[in-house]
Amino acid sequence: MCGILAVLGCSDDSQAKRVRILELSRRLKHRGPDWSGLHQHGDNYLAHQRLAIVDPASGDQPLFNQEKSIIVTVNGEIYNHEELRKQLPNHKFRTDCDCDVIAHLYEEYGENFVDMLDGIFSFVVLDTRDNSFLVARDAIGVTSLYIGWGLDGSVWIASELKGLNDECEHFEVFPPGHLYSSKEREFRRWYNPKWFSETVPSSPYDPLVLRHAFEKAVIKRLMSDVPFGVLLSGGLDSSLVASVTARYLEDTKAAKQWGAKLHTFCVGLKGAPDLKAGREVADYLGTVHHEFEFTIQDGIDAIEDVIYHTETFDVTTIRASTPMFLMSRKIKSLGVKMVLSGEGSDEIFGGYLYFHKAPNKKEFHEETCRKIKALYKYDCLRANKSTYAWGLEARVPFLDKDFINVAMDIDPEEKMIKRDEGRIEKWVLRKAFDDENKPYLPRHILYRQKEQFSDGVGYGWIDGIKDHAAKHVTAKMMLNASHIFPDNTPTSKEGYYYRMIFERFFPQNSARLTVPGGASIACSTEKAIEWDASWSNNLDPSGRAALGVHVSAYENQVNSSVGKGVEPEKIIPKMKVSPLGVAILG
């Protein structure tokens, strides 16, 4: 993937304007350090910063159809590009790049081709035949994209805020699953899956169907002409991605080019839960494993860079982005350009610990729908921008369109957490890969309790940045917070600290409106806080804020038996809550 910038309908076609657009495009160079391109047609400019993953030799952008009447700048990966080429027998392609199909599909089908794409993408199509344009973003918002409007009537499109925020009178997040056409001048949703209506499904759970759908999602993401690996925290999601990748890597084109030995990567403070679990999974799978340790001070020193790159002041996102940002730099230094990651599973299966308190299957399902729809504001943004800060691409098989359709069609009663039956969070996913004949993972890893990434890298990380923020934000500052920041007012010193840094980089009102807000408990939506009255007094996005659920909850801090190899499914059903709300392992 890459970084894109488009200026459409600009009133200035001077050399000075071209130089300015090149300057703005260079702000996205970290996303695509391999090549730069700019094409001007009349009052339209399409710029591109390329990270070459497929066809590095000839896939430079912008891309064109055969007659060069249709021009495209794309940030994405189209996994079914070979099948799509077969549907276009009369078209001559200029490159073997997966994104080359977009211009030809538009030429053949017009604006209605977007749903044919299986992949992740943000793109701009310029049709010089009538000077019209089309902009689209992938279904869930794995790729980042923004849209802005200039005083001269121009429309600006960029992969990141920093590409357009200084030039636009107003700008906003381009909504995922939508397209924007110059002919209609409004957003239209092209992604319309059955689950989007939030109607409760009733299909029976079939573990093999779910397993095979996920395996297909992983396999299609092994499309690469450059070295790649898997981010492996040792939690369920990343471990399954690594396990499936290791199982099927040998038969891929990538293995023939770069070898069938999978590389895995993990980050954490010294002694962190993720480092231990990740190493154990890597040993089990036989991967070439790379561990990166960081200190709390390393993370604190990186926070300004993290906020600049992620373009957010959301507390959860910054907590988790910082170790991912540090790890991505190390990974890129090894010559790796693409990684697979485990984002999306918790949203689809109700994996966050607060789902233990879901009152019924209807509310459980509706919350998963809300979480998936909001991913582009949180985990997708983190995975995309904290890796692309160093020219590293992250692919997320759990957010495959076909896999989501299968997983979200399961009767949510099957996903519900039932301690008395030994069913912990994400039970349906764990059960789908619980194969005694040919195990995918060690059983205690398969049933390891959920750790949010910012917790799993070491509990001291969150505690350390809270302490750091407390030294720089006074009580008097917090008293005036609603006057200084009337929109999305920080409710903690940590949040205030991040907000000050963000405002320095992105002072425009439009910028702060792109960042989500609202109360949260253990990464819940605001609606789910209603599930437990005590949560409103303990608002914090860490999983340890799920009092009475997490084995290392803030008010408990007991030693978990998980580290001793005891299966969490044996622990959680025995967890009781005292009258004081303290979790007791019995």
Side-chain angles (χ1 to χ4, degrees):
M1 291 197 292
C2 318
I4 65 172
L5 173 66
V7 186
L8 306 156
C10 177
S11 60
D12 182 359
D13 62 355
S14 67
Q15 177 62 20
K17 189 66 174 183
R18 183 182 180 92
V19 170
R20 176 57 175 162
I21 291 171
L22 283 169
E23 178 186 339
L24 293 169
S25 181
R26 281 194 290 272
R27 294 184 182 182
L28 308 176
K29 195 172 183 178
H30 52 275
R31 296 183 64 89
D34 296 335
W35 194 253
S36 302
L38 173 63
H39 185 86
Q40 180 183 356
H41 178 80
D43 58 358
N44 302 296
Y45 299 82
L46 270 66
H48 191 264
Q49 300 286 344
R50 188 183 186 205
L51 179 66
I53 304 291
V54 176
D55 188 21
S58 66
D60 296 336
Q61 295 191 36
L63 297 163
F64 305 86
N65 66 337
Q66 187 173 347
E67 291 77 22
K68 288 197 170 183
S69 59
I70 297 169
I71 312 158
V72 181
T73 183
V74 192
N75 167 33
E77 300 291 344
I78 310 302
Y79 303 123
N80 64 335
H81 72 103
E82 292 181 349
E83 292 81 0
L84 291 171
R85 286 171 187 259
K86 293 174 184 177
Q87 298 178 35
L88 300 164
N90 298 323
H91 290 250
K92 184 177 180 180
F93 295 89
R94 296 175 175 272
T95 77
D96 292 325
C97 175
D98 53 297
C99 293
D100 206 358
V101 296
I102 292 175
H104 297 270
L105 288 168
Y106 174 83
E107 184 178 20
E108 188 74 21
Y109 300 103
E111 296 181 358
N112 298 319
F113 77 91
V114 182
D115 198 30
M116 299 170 66
L117 301 174
D118 184 4
I120 48 178
F121 51 81
S122 297
F123 62 77
V124 179
V125 175
L126 176 63
D127 189 340
T128 65
R129 297 172 299 185
D130 59 3
N131 212 38
S132 64
F133 65 83
L134 175 71
V135 188
R137 187 180 182 190
D138 66 71
I140 305 299
V142 176
T143 61
S144 56
L145 194 65
Y146 297 85
I147 183 170
W149 292 267
L151 283 173
D152 61 353
S154 56
V155 177
W156 292 64
I157 305 294
S159 295
E160 296 184 3
L161 275 181
K162 58 184 70 68
L164 53 71
N165 65 308
D166 289 337
E167 302 294 322
C168 295
E169 183 68 13
H170 173 75
F171 51 88
E172 60 192 54
V173 176
F174 194 101
H178 282 71
L179 55 82
Y180 181 93
S181 167
S182 60
K183 297 174 181 176
E184 299 175 359
R185 295 285 170 173
E186 62 182 15
F187 295 106
R188 176 161 59 89
R189 186 152 61 89
W190 65 265
Y191 179 57
N192 296 286
K194 192 165 63 172
W195 64 267
F196 217 83
S197 68
E198 301 186 9
T199 302
V200 179
S202 57
S203 297
Y205 165 56
D206 186 329
L208 289 181
V209 169
L210 188 64
R211 181 197 296 182
H212 294 154
F214 183 67
E215 288 179 327
K216 288 178 183 177
V218 171
I219 291 167
K220 71 175 70 167
R221 282 161 178 78
L222 304 184
M223 177 184 79
S224 175
D225 293 327
V226 298
F228 70 91
V230 173
L231 303 185
L232 177 59
S233 69
L236 175 68
D237 307 328
S238 65
S239 297
L240 286 178
V241 173
S243 179
V244 174
T245 302
R247 189 168 290 207
Y248 293 100
L249 178 60
E250 187 175 355
D251 297 327
T252 66
K253 177 184 174 184
K256 293 178 175 62
Q257 287 182 285
W258 305 104
K261 200 75 171 175
L262 178 64
H263 287 251
T264 50
F265 309 93
C266 188
V267 67
L269 301 176
K270 187 173 183 179
D274 281 2
L275 289 179
K276 180 180 179 182
R279 189 183 317 118
E280 185 177 1
V281 175
D283 289 344
Y284 180 82
L285 298 176
T287 71
V288 179
H289 192 56
H290 308 265
E291 292 182 1
F292 306 119
E293 287 187 7
F294 74 103
T295 66
I296 293 172
Q297 191 61 52
D298 290 333
I300 290 170
D301 290 344
I303 282 176
E304 291 210 7
D305 284 340
V306 169
I307 291 173
Y308 174 75
H309 280 288
T310 59
E311 303 175 323
T312 187
F313 50 81
D314 175 66
V315 170
T316 316
T317 303
I318 295 168
R319 286 177 176 180
S321 292
T322 303
M324 196 170 195
F325 173 87
L326 295 171
M327 175 172 57
S328 296
R329 187 176 192 180
K330 290 281 193 179
I331 293 172
K332 188 61 186 288
S333 73
L334 297 174
V336 172
K337 296 174 74 172
M338 184 271 281
V339 290
L340 274 67
S341 191
E343 282 76 15
S345 172
D346 291 314
E347 288 73 15
I348 294 169
F349 296 103
Y352 293 107
L353 297 183
Y354 72 89
F355 275 94
H356 280 250
K357 300 294 184 75
N360 54 61
K361 73 175 187 179
K362 181 177 183 293
E363 292 204 37
F364 187 103
H365 180 71
E366 290 174 351
E367 176 71 358
T368 60
C369 293
R370 288 191 293 266
K371 289 292 291 180
I372 297 171
K373 291 176 184 178
L375 266 168
Y376 73 99
K377 304 175 186 178
Y378 299 102
D379 285 19
C380 286
L381 180 147
R382 167 181 55 78
N384 183 277
K385 291 183 179 179
S386 57
T387 55
Y388 266 106
W390 303 107
L392 179 70
E393 176 181 308
R395 297 181 181 176
V396 283
F398 280 108
L399 296 180
D400 179 82
K401 281 196 302 182
D402 293 336
F403 178 74
I404 292 176
N405 288 340
V406 170
M408 292 302 288
D409 199 41
I410 298 171
D411 186 336
E413 185 68 31
E414 301 285 355
K415 297 181 182 179
M416 291 280 286
I417 298 157
K418 299 182 179 180
R419 298 177 180 179
D420 56 337
E421 297 178 18
R423 281 169 45 174
I424 63 173
E425 67 276 354
K426 293 186 285 195
W427 176 83
V428 293
L429 182 62
R430 300 175 196 271
K431 187 68 176 176
F433 286 90
D434 194 348
D435 188 332
E436 293 183 1
N437 296 322
K438 195 176 180 183
Y440 284 79
L441 293 169
R443 190 167 172 79
H444 63 279
I445 293 290
L446 191 62
Y447 290 95
R448 181 190 180 199
Q449 187 181 55
K450 165 68 184 172
E451 288 280 14
Q452 286 163 213
F453 185 55
S454 53
D455 285 332
V457 298
Y459 297 146
W461 164 234
I462 291 177
D463 300 335
I465 52 177
K466 282 183 172 182
D467 291 343
H468 177 75
K471 294 173 184 175
H472 292 79
V473 179
T474 66
K476 185 184 294 185
M477 293 164 75
M478 289 302 298
L479 283 174
N480 294 322
S482 62
H483 301 290
I484 302 297
F485 304 118
D487 296 318
N488 209 343
T489 304
T491 57
S492 68
K493 290 184 177 182
E494 183 186 1
Y496 195 108
Y497 180 68
Y498 298 155
R499 183 67 173 271
M500 289 192 298
I501 298 170
F502 178 89
E503 295 279 344
R504 196 165 74 245
F505 291 131
F506 308 104
Q508 301 89 352
N509 187 55
S510 289
R512 64 184 67 100
L513 293 177
T514 66
V515 181
S520 176
I521 180 77
C523 287
S524 73
T525 65
E526 199 162 4
K527 175 69 175 173
I529 295 173
E530 299 172 5
W531 293 351
D532 190 315
S534 67
W535 284 349
S536 60
N537 300 317
N538 189 52
L539 298 176
D540 189 285
S542 168
R544 289 180 292 156
L547 305 183
V549 176
H550 196 291
V551 294
S552 295
Y554 280 144
E555 96 288 29
N556 194 28
Q557 300 292 352
V558 297
N559 292 322
S560 169
S561 300
V562 179
K564 301 174 184 176
V566 181
E567 293 172 19
E569 65 172 344
K570 303 290 177 57
I571 299 170
I572 293 179
K574 298 179 182 179
M575 184 181 292
K576 302 174 183 178
V577 181
S578 75
L580 297 177
V582 179
I584 302 170
L585 299 181

